[in-house]
Amino acid sequence: MAALAWLLIPLVAAIFAGLWGSWANRNRKARGDGPELDGYARFRAAMEKPSSRT
């Protein structure tokens, strides 16, 4: 019986983790690639500027 109790602990933890994961992910909205692409465009613009060193 003690072995079954030890097997029950990970089972309960897995169920709890699944419930918590679904709850934590409930309000996620797809934000698209807009902010990432804007940041990449700024990075490219900064890298294309000529260097002030000669």
Side-chain angles (χ1 to χ4, degrees):
M1 196 66 176
L4 290 177
W6 280 106
L7 290 174
L8 190 63
I9 293 171
L11 179 65
V12 170
I15 292 171
F16 177 73
L19 290 173
W20 179 81
S22 63
W23 177 80
N25 201 23
R26 73 192 185 287
N27 286 332
R28 302 259 180 198
K29 295 179 181 158
R31 25 175 247 180
D33 291 334
E36 287 83 6
L37 291 176
D38 292 341
Y40 180 67
R42 286 193 308 270
F43 170 75
R44 284 193 55 171
M47 293 306 287
E48 289 174 355
K49 287 183 183 177
S51 177
S52 61
R53 282 199 241 169
T54 54

